[in-house]
């Protein structure tokens, strides 16, 4: 099988892992080496699904001993199989990098022989790039479920980011669809990475020359919509993971049909709006001071597809409003629908010198329609009269037209 | 009204602005004209400043940072915008830049963001092609603004161990693993037209795309079509889009996908 054929099979098999970030690490190659990473990361291309390509995302092999129902590479599927040699993966990365196609490599793999053997292969690619080729670009390695803590320790020395995928939000879901994987095992890998990272940081306090450990931290991914699990349960899991292992990101991947899928899976278009709402909720937890359990209720455990999660929270918690744009603290402004983190930061700067009006907000390109019922400004705001209306939701809901396009920019970032 | 001729670069504007400020010339009395020294032009009466004003003038540092970036902007009206904000900073309010809702400040910050976005696009969308005979990687690129000099050091950081050239219509940047140097702009014919790795790259682009999530508008928003001329993957975009619904139907019908040529 030639290289192009392998690349086709092994990138096709890798694409269901949605993470493609190359950010959060600053590294330059040693003398004579190639590549650097920047804190912002660079998207080098975009595919027609609107997702960015910043890394060469491949599997080392799509042979796998596991039989996870949700996975395209499970052992019982009769898809085409291929395997890269370590040198092939290394040279592809370097060839693409030299031409400015990519920022680095995201390497994962199906499990062959056993977890340790597979992880050794991934580590070998990363080590060759860093040691033999003095590569300074970004490397994201997948932590193979069940591999030894020692291998994860080595992996973190070469990689910028490590990730162990939680795959499904609850143990019941895993038992159903990935019988060979357990939450305990997956979280064991997260805990090892977390420990490695904490130890390396402690050592670097004593000695600046101590090695870094996965400086861009760890992330994880879970599939949404392959099981009936509610948004509330999903957010419970992710907020626990954020707290326990200091994850940098949780990626939500709308379950997407793939060739030769198991009949137990929902063969339908991926639930993109639901995925989008979860990203928005995730942002609210990480940057806006919301706790996961505030965002949904036991009575309504799933997000309304027509309203963003912050608006849904605001409609349930009218007592919290109105908030005064010129006086209220940052934490309160962050809870106003339509005000994003960056806008709030700007407003805090402006209001020391200038009383903010609705017209000022228009100038900052804020959606007035969404925020008027909730915000006191220096001028008269008629919208405040609607705050206590039972039928407020229709007034602040985006038009159907907008909804069908659903803010393309936020679809990627989840920013509000 | 004073007509002031400057080279379209930061240093030239800065020198003129200092003279004008120290001579108490308000912004509405200045008309900025771009053009090289000695260049024949309609503005025969335009003044030029060839030496620095000896006086002292203190300007907020964050303004200088913004102005340095905005100076790369291609729209000639930005010189006036920069001077107006500077004048108001010194005469009206030292904190003016903090007032993000002020129309002049907002306009200046938008210009700055446009230049930064353009610089980021250049880092993203430049595509090198290998010139085996010269052991050099060469790219041709058309930036929206005059950013080649500003962006080139970021390429040095990433491609220190290679010899490379980035050719643009404004100026060309060259790196020979020693120092960065610049030559006048060229047209795209000067650059190589293919590279042996491009075929593999297109294969990757095609395979990493998930047809079940087709969202062409989003792609075009992040990667506007004006950049496609340099990108080897662009030639299969239309084909990839056209075949995606068929690929999804195959998956939903639970069949093995047929290879698309």
């Amino acid at each position: 099988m030639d290289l192009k054929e392998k690349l086709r099979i092994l990138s096709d098999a890798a694409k269901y892992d949605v993470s493609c970030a190359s950010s959060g690490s600053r590294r330059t190659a040693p003398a004579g080496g190639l590549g650097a990473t920047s804190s912002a990361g660079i998207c080098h291309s975009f595919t027609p699904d609107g997702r960015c390509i910043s890394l060469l995302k491949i599997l080392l092999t799509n042979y796998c001993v596991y039989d996870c129902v949700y996975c395209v590479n499970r052992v019982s599927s009769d898809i085409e199989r291929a395997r890269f040699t370590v040198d092939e993966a290394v040279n592809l990365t370097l060839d693409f990098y030299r031409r400015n196609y990519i920022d680095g490599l995201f390497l994962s793999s199906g499990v062959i022989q056993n977890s340790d053997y597979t992880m050794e292969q991934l580590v070998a690619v990363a080590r060759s790039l860093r040691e033999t080729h003095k590569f300074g670009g970004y490397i994201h390695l997948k932590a193979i479920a069940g591999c030894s803590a020692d291998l994860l320790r080595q992996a973190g020395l070469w990689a910028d980011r490590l990730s162990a995928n939680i795959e499904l939000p609850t143990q019941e879901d895993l038992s159903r669809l990935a019988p060979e994987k357990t939450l305990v095992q997956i979280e064991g890998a997260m805990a090892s990475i977390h420990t490695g990272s904490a130890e390396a940081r402690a050592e670097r306090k004593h000695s600046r020359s101590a090695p870094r450990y996965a400086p861009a931290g760890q992330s994880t991914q879970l599939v949404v919509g392959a099981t009936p699990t509610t948004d509330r349960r999903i957010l419970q899991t992710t907020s626990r993971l954020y707290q326990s292992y200091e994850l940098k990101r949780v990626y939500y991947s709308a379950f997407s049909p793939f060739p030769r899928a198991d009949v137990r899976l929902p063969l339908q278009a991926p639930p993109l709006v639901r995925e989008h709402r979860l990203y928005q909720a995730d942002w609210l937890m990480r940057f806006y001071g919301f706790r996961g359990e505030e965002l949904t209720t036991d009575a309504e455990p799933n997000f309304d597809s027509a309203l963003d999660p912050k608006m849904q929270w605001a409609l349930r918690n009218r007592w919290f409003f109105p908030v005064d744009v010129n006086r209220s603290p940052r934490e309160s402004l962050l809870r106003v629908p339509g005000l994003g983190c960056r806008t709030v930061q700007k407003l805090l700067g402006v209001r020391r010198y200038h009383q903010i009006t609705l017209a000022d907000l228009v100038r900052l390109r804020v959606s007035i329609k969404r925020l008027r019922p909730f915000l006191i400004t220096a001028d008269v705001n008629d919208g405040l009269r609607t705050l206590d209306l039972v039928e407020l939701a229709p007034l602040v809901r985006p038009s159907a037209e907008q909804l069908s396009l659903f803010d393309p920019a936020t679809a990627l970032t989840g920013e509000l | 009204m004073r007509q002031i001729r400057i080279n379209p670069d930061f240093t030239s504007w800065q020198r003129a602005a200092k003279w004008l400020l120290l001579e108490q010339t308000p912004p509405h009395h200045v008309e900025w004209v771009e053009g090289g020294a000695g260049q024949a032009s309609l503005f025969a009466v335009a003044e030029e400043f060839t030496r620095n004003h000896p006086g002292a003038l203190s300007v907020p540092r964050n303004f200088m940072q913004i102005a340095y970036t905005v100076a790369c902007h291609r729209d000639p009206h930005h010189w006036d915008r920069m001077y107006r904000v500077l004048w108001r900073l010194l005469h009206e309010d030292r904190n003016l830049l903090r007032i993000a809702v002020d129309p002049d400040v907002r306009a200046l910050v938008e210009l700055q963001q446009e230049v930064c976005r353009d610089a980021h696009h250049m880092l993203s969308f430049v595509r090198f092609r290998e010139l085996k005979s010269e052991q050099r990687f060469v790219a041709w690129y058309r930036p929206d603004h005059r950013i080649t000099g500003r962006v080139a050091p970021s390429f040095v950081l990433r491609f220190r161990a290679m010899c490379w050239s980035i050719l643009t219509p404004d100026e060309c940047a060259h790196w020979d693993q020693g120092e960065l140097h610049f030559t006048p702009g060229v047209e795209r014919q000067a650059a190589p037209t293919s590279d042996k790795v491009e075929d593999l790259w297109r294969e990757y682009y095609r395979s990493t795309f998930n047809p079940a999530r087709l969202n062409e508008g989003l792609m075009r928003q992040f990667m506007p079509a004006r950049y496609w001329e340099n990108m080897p993957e662009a030639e299969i975009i239309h084909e990839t889009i056209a075949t995606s619904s068929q690929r999804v139907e195959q998956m939903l019908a639970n069949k093995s996908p047929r290879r698309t040529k």
Side-chain angles (χ1 to χ4, degrees):
Chain A
M1 188 182 287
D2 72 356
L3 187 65
K4 189 170 160 186
E5 200 67 5
K6 288 186 185 179
L7 180 63
R8 175 176 68 80
I9 294 169
L10 293 171
S11 51
D12 188 78
K15 71 182 169 204
Y16 299 98
D17 221 309
V18 295
S19 163
C20 201
S22 60
S23 53
S25 180
R26 299 184 84 159
R27 180 192 292 273
T28 46
L34 176 73
T37 58
S38 59
S39 50
I42 298 174
C43 297
H44 286 277
S45 191
F46 289 85
T47 43
D49 48 19
R51 295 202 281 186
C52 96
I53 300 180
S54 69
L55 303 174
L56 169 63
K57 193 188 317 182
I58 47 172
L59 301 187
L60 199 57
T61 176
N62 65 340
Y63 288 101
C64 191
V65 298
Y66 286 134
D67 201 16
C68 307
V69 172
Y70 63 85
C71 182
V72 63
N73 303 312
R74 68 192 187 287
V75 64
S76 59
S77 171
D78 61 351
I79 54 165
E80 296 170 276
R81 306 279 173 173
R83 179 178 178 178
F84 279 130
T85 65
V86 168
D87 281 347
E88 280 169 341
V90 166
N91 289 331
L92 257 180
T93 306
L94 294 172
D95 276 344
F96 281 7
Y97 196 97
R98 284 190 193 102
R99 287 157 180 82
N100 205 38
Y101 300 161
I102 54 169
D103 247 19
L105 173 68
F106 178 174
L107 188 62
S108 180
S109 183
V111 177
I112 40 173
Q113 295 188 21
N114 56 51
S115 301
D116 277 354
Y117 174 79
T118 310
M119 194 67 210
E120 275 166 22
Q121 298 295 304
L122 300 192
V123 170
V125 172
R127 186 173 48 221
S128 169
L129 278 168
R130 293 278 193 239
E131 278 199 334
T132 314
H133 300 278
K134 299 179 183 166
F135 180 65
Y138 195 91
I139 299 181
H140 179 158
L141 290 185
K142 183 64 61 187
I144 299 298
C147 79
S148 74
D150 183 52
L151 278 165
L152 286 179
R153 186 149 308 210
Q154 291 177 42
L157 296 178
W158 310 118
D160 293 286
R161 170 166 284 182
L162 294 173
S163 61
N165 280 2
I166 195 91
E167 308 292 9
L168 293 162
T170 64
Q171 180 58 51
E172 304 90 85
D173 290 345
L174 276 177
S175 309
R176 244 166 47 122
L177 297 184
E180 290 132 323
K181 289 184 182 165
T182 63
L183 270 188
V184 174
Q185 182 193 47
I186 296 164
E187 290 194 36
M190 290 183 182
S192 296
I193 297 168
H194 184 218
T195 310
S197 170
E199 284 173 4
R201 264 178 308 185
E203 275 173 44
R204 281 178 64 82
K205 279 203 181 119
H206 297 297
S207 151
R208 295 307 294 168
S209 61
R212 287 174 196 279
Y213 183 93
Q218 65 167 321
S219 63
T220 192
Q221 162 171 312
L222 55 87
V223 173
V224 176
T227 60
T229 305
T230 62
D231 292 341
R232 190 165 178 75
R233 283 300 303 279
I234 292 173
L235 292 183
Q236 269 171 10
T237 299
T238 54
S239 48
R240 183 170 56 77
L241 296 179
Y242 277 127
Q243 281 160 16
S244 310
Y245 310 111
E246 292 183 84
L247 297 187
K248 283 286 182 336
R249 279 290 296 268
V250 173
Y251 290 91
Y252 305 86
S253 172
F255 176 75
S256 176
F258 51 77
R260 308 282 164 145
D262 189 279
V263 288
R264 276 169 284 181
L265 291 169
L267 283 187
Q268 58 197 21
L272 298 181
V273 174
R274 184 177 180 199
E275 177 191 281
H276 177 55
R277 293 286 175 240
L278 283 166
Y279 273 119
Q280 290 180 314
D282 192 85
W283 247 255
L284 291 177
M285 296 194 298
R286 289 189 296 143
F287 304 119
Y288 290 76
F290 284 86
R291 283 171 292 114
E293 66 268 23
E294 286 181 282
L295 294 169
T296 53
T297 60
D298 286 324
E300 287 177 72
N302 287 306
F303 290 116
D304 178 344
S305 61
L307 289 169
D308 66 80
K310 200 204 253 184
M311 181 64 87
Q312 291 177 45
W313 178 86
L315 291 175
R316 281 197 310 269
N317 295 277
R318 312 267 181 104
W319 58 269
F320 185 82
F321 299 101
V323 161
D324 187 335
V325 71
N326 288 299
R327 285 183 189 81
S328 300
R330 180 172 182 275
E331 305 77 61
S332 304
L333 290 181
L334 285 174
R335 289 184 172 240
V336 176
L339 289 186
C341 267
R342 256 177 279 169
T343 305
V344 167
Q345 209 51 46
K346 265 187 216 161
L347 294 174
L348 294 175
V350 170
R351 73 185 193 180
R352 292 170 59 195
Y353 309 99
H354 172 89
Q355 288 289 297
I356 297 163
T357 62
L358 274 181
D360 289 331
L361 293 168
V362 173
R363 271 187 220 120
L364 291 178
R365 309 226 167 107
V366 171
S367 158
I368 300 300
K369 178 181 165 186
R370 280 200 284 172
L371 114 189
R372 280 178 60 147
F374 306 103
L375 196 64
I376 298 171
T377 49
D379 52 351
V380 177
N381 173 8
D382 283 343
L384 283 173
R385 287 185 308 194
T386 61
L387 176 58
D388 293 318
L389 287 184
V390 178
E391 287 297 307
L392 179 54
L395 298 180
V396 292
R397 183 175 294 149
S399 64
E401 219 170 297
Q402 278 174 312
L403 196 67
S404 68
L405 292 169
F406 80 85
D407 291 349
T410 65
L412 195 81
T413 61
E415 199 157 358
L416 297 180
Chain B
M1 178 66 73
R2 297 173 69 175
Q3 282 176 337
I4 308 296
R5 174 153 50 212
I6 55 167
N7 290 328
D9 62 55
F10 177 73
T11 321
S12 182
W13 173 85
Q14 184 187 26
R15 186 192 302 138
K18 189 174 175 192
W19 280 98
L20 294 169
L21 281 168
L22 289 170
E23 290 170 0
Q24 299 294 328
T25 315
H28 60 276
H29 284 173
V30 183
E31 185 180 349
W32 298 88
V33 182
E34 287 184 1
Q39 199 172 312
S41 88
L42 294 169
F43 304 96
V45 291
E47 300 171 59
E48 285 177 53
F49 297 97
T50 49
R51 55 188 185 85
N52 289 325
H53 194 292
L57 185 69
S58 141
V59 172
R61 182 195 295 266
N62 58 348
F63 172 80
M64 295 309 274
Q65 281 167 349
I66 297 175
Y68 182 70
T69 303
V70 173
C72 301
H73 205 286
R74 192 93 60 184
D75 176 358
H77 300 299
H78 69 271
W79 304 117
D80 176 53
R81 188 70 71 179
M82 287 156 67
Y83 186 63
R84 195 200 313 259
V85 171
L86 180 55
W87 175 270
R88 290 183 58 202
L89 264 174
L90 300 183
H91 289 87
E92 210 175 283
D93 187 352
R94 296 287 288 195
N95 289 309
L96 181 64
L97 289 175
R98 305 291 299 272
I99 304 176
V101 294
D102 179 276
D104 283 334
V105 172
R106 215 176 58 88
L108 192 72
V109 168
E110 276 179 12
L111 290 167
Q112 178 196 23
Q113 285 168 346
E114 282 166 22
V115 173
C116 289
R117 201 173 308 132
D118 194 36
H120 195 78
H121 280 153
M122 186 166 177
L123 270 176
S124 310
F125 301 145
V126 155
R127 296 286 185 263
F128 286 115
R129 285 171 165 157
E130 188 174 16
L131 255 186
K132 270 255 154 62
S133 55
E134 298 181 26
Q135 296 192 321
R136 172 177 290 275
F137 288 82
V138 181
W140 193 86
Y141 188 79
R142 190 200 304 271
D144 289 347
H145 303 293
R146 288 179 283 253
I147 52 168
T148 306
R150 182 191 153 86
V151 178
S154 303
F155 280 98
V156 172
L157 211 59
R158 300 163 64 80
F159 303 105
R160 193 179 289 282
M162 282 164 31
C163 293
W164 52 261
S165 299
I166 299 174
L167 317 179
T168 83
D170 305 313
E171 59 178 338
C172 303
H174 309 274
W175 172 254
D176 300 297
Q177 303 189 38
E179 66 171 322
L180 197 55
H181 67 276
F182 296 89
T183 55
V186 295
E187 281 311 311
R188 85 175 284 136
Q189 290 81 352
T193 51
S194 66
D195 183 293
K196 64 174 176 14
V197 177
E198 287 178 356
D199 202 29
L200 279 174
W201 172 239
R202 277 187 288 269
E203 191 64 46
Y204 177 68
Y205 184 86
R206 194 194 328 262
S207 307
T208 199
F209 159 61
N210 182 351
R213 299 182 60 115
L214 180 66
N215 189 342
E216 187 183 347
L218 192 56
M219 173 193 67
R220 285 177 176 272
Q221 183 187 335
F222 289 121
M223 192 169 79
R226 65 179 185 278
Y227 295 110
W228 296 6
E229 59 175 349
N230 307 311
M231 307 172 89
E233 64 270 35
E235 63 185 62
I236 61 163
I237 288 178
H238 292 297
E239 166 214 307
T240 315
I241 293 171
T243 53
S244 58
S245 62
Q246 184 199 344
R247 283 169 71 186
V248 174
E249 275 164 33
Q250 276 171 347
M251 287 194 281
L252 293 180
N254 218 355
K255 285 184 203 143
S256 196
R258 200 172 309 124
R259 182 76 205 285
T260 51
K261 280 286 172 199

